[in-house]
Amino acid sequence: MILNSDLSSNKPVTGDGLQVTSKKLKNKYLSSVTRYLLLSMAIILIWVHPAMSAAPVIEKIEVDGLYSIARGELLYLLDLKAGDEADPLNIRNGIRRAFLKGIFEDIEVWSERGGLIRIKVKERDIIKSVNVSGNTDLSERAIRGLFSQKKGEVMRHDLMEDSLKLLRQSLSERGFSHADVSAQVKKTDEPYRVNIIIRLNEGQPAIIDRISIFGPESEVRPLLRIEKREIYN
């Protein structure tokens, strides 16, 4: 909400609370043409005045919901500081710049009487840790490496199913075609920080039962990096 005007009630309101209204025509003896012209001028004043009026001067700025960056950096991105005019176009451009940081889910900026600017932000969740449980043959480090969402990155809740699908595919390529994988996202005590817990049941892996070599075995065998009874990878 940025310096909104209540046009539906024909009472435009600027950021500092000023109102412009049309006065009722009292002279019942005015001609219909004169009444029409005066009414048209009144309507023009109602709609044009907000654009012509000066934007309110910023006296104070309050920020709510910010955690991951400093208050000064956010105000720099929004191009807002005390003493400047609260220009709606500049604020909209500033909001676009702030979204380029990639950490914000929502940003609201609005003005109140007395030159007060309020800013309310909602940040996107950041992955604080990725933990693995239920693994036996595969290390936790290896599983984290196969998982597409990493510690320190923005949490993509919308891509969690895709991340698990890719993990299952990677496990299958490493001999764990029967692996059962699920994940849980838990909020931490820290604002906008979450932990991902990957629960894994590796299932029965594919085991190399026999190695057949066609050709000079003495030359081929030393080149092989697999052995009988190992997990097929």
Side-chain angles (χ1 to χ4, degrees), residues 10-192:
N10 284 339
K11 294 182 179 180
V13 182
T14 63
D16 54 4
L18 296 178
Q19 293 186 359
V20 178
T21 60
S22 58
K23 291 185 176 180
K24 200 172 183 180
L25 299 177
K26 297 181 179 179
N27 193 339
K28 63 181 178 180
Y29 299 104
L30 291 174
S31 68
S32 60
V33 174
T34 304
R35 286 200 300 269
Y36 175 79
L37 290 174
L38 289 175
L39 181 59
S40 299
M41 292 174 64
I43 292 173
I44 291 172
L45 286 173
I46 287 173
W47 286 85
V48 172
H49 179 81
M52 296 174 61
S53 62
V57 175
I58 302 171
E59 299 291 339
K60 184 179 179 182
I61 302 173
E62 294 184 358
V63 180
D64 181 50
L66 186 65
Y67 181 77
S68 298
I69 64 173
R71 181 179 184 273
E73 182 178 356
L74 176 64
L75 296 183
Y76 173 78
L77 292 170
L78 296 176
D79 195 19
L80 289 174
K81 59 179 181 289
D84 286 354
E85 291 185 350
D87 181 80
L89 180 59
N90 288 343
I91 293 175
R92 282 193 290 269
N93 291 334
I95 290 175
R96 292 190 186 99
R97 282 194 300 272
F99 271 117
L100 292 177
K101 289 285 292 184
I103 64 172
F104 294 112
E105 189 77 29
D106 189 33
I107 302 174
E108 294 181 80
V109 180
W110 70 96
S111 69
E112 296 184 1
R113 295 181 186 275
L116 173 62
I117 295 292
R118 293 188 183 275
I119 304 170
K120 184 177 181 181
V121 303
K122 181 181 179 183
E123 296 183 14
R124 303 171 74 179
D125 290 332
I126 302 295
I127 301 171
K128 188 174 182 179
S129 68
V130 179
N131 302 310
V132 181
S133 65
N135 55 307
T136 53
D137 292 307
L138 294 169
S139 69
E140 183 172 354
R141 180 178 179 180
I143 296 169
R144 282 200 301 263
L146 297 173
F147 190 61
S148 60
Q149 303 207 44
K150 309 295 184 182
K151 175 181 176 181
E153 295 181 351
V154 171
M155 174 68 215
R156 294 297 304 270
H157 296 274
D158 57 320
L159 296 181
M160 178 57 78
E161 285 302 319
D162 289 338
S163 298
L164 292 175
K165 182 178 180 180
L166 289 173
L167 178 57
R168 294 187 189 100
Q169 181 178 334
S170 297
L171 291 173
S172 179
E173 292 171 353
R174 285 158 177 77
F176 295 87
S177 57
H178 302 293
D180 183 30
V181 183
S182 63
Q184 182 180 10
V185 179
K186 286 189 174 182
K187 289 187 175 296
T188 69
D189 294 333
E190 195 175 357
Y192 308 117

